[in-house]
Amino acid sequence: PDFDKPVEVISMAMSIEAQALDLYTRASRSTDDKENTEMLERIAQEEIYHLEQLGTLLDNIVEGANG
């Protein structure tokens, strides 16, 4: 990505967050320990929040460029 282009940086960050979400979701399903499952599910929810925030940021940048 071109680190001078905010859209590319945010897109890359979203990709990383999506990979993290997948990792924590899979890990939560693979453990038999209830506490670990709950912790990993909480972390996965944080990744969803990060994706939402980055999506909003991306939308605002794109709208600003087109507006």
Side-chain angles (χ1 to χ4, degrees), residues 9-27 29 40 43-55:
V9 172
I10 294 168
S11 294
M12 183 177 76
M14 291 180 77
S15 176
I16 293 167
E17 294 293 339
Q19 290 175 20
L21 172 58
D22 182 59
L23 172 71
Y24 295 123
T25 300
R26 286 176 187 237
R29 292 177 183 157
L40 290 163
I43 296 171
Q45 288 298 315
E46 290 177 15
E47 300 304 337
I48 291 170
Y49 176 75
H50 297 161
L51 279 166
E52 291 170 349
Q53 294 300 304
L54 287 166

Side-chain angles (χ1 to χ4, degrees), residues 1-11:
D2 184 343
F3 291 105
D4 292 326
K5 295 182 179 177
V7 169
E8 289 190 27
V9 172
I10 294 168
S11 294

Side-chain angles (χ1 to χ4, degrees), residues 30-48:
S30 69
T31 183
D32 294 328
D33 183 278
K34 183 180 177 184
E35 285 184 36
N36 286 343
T37 298
E38 290 173 355
M39 176 191 61
L40 290 163
E41 288 173 348
R42 280 194 307 271
I43 296 171
Q45 288 298 315
E46 290 177 15
E47 300 304 337
I48 291 170

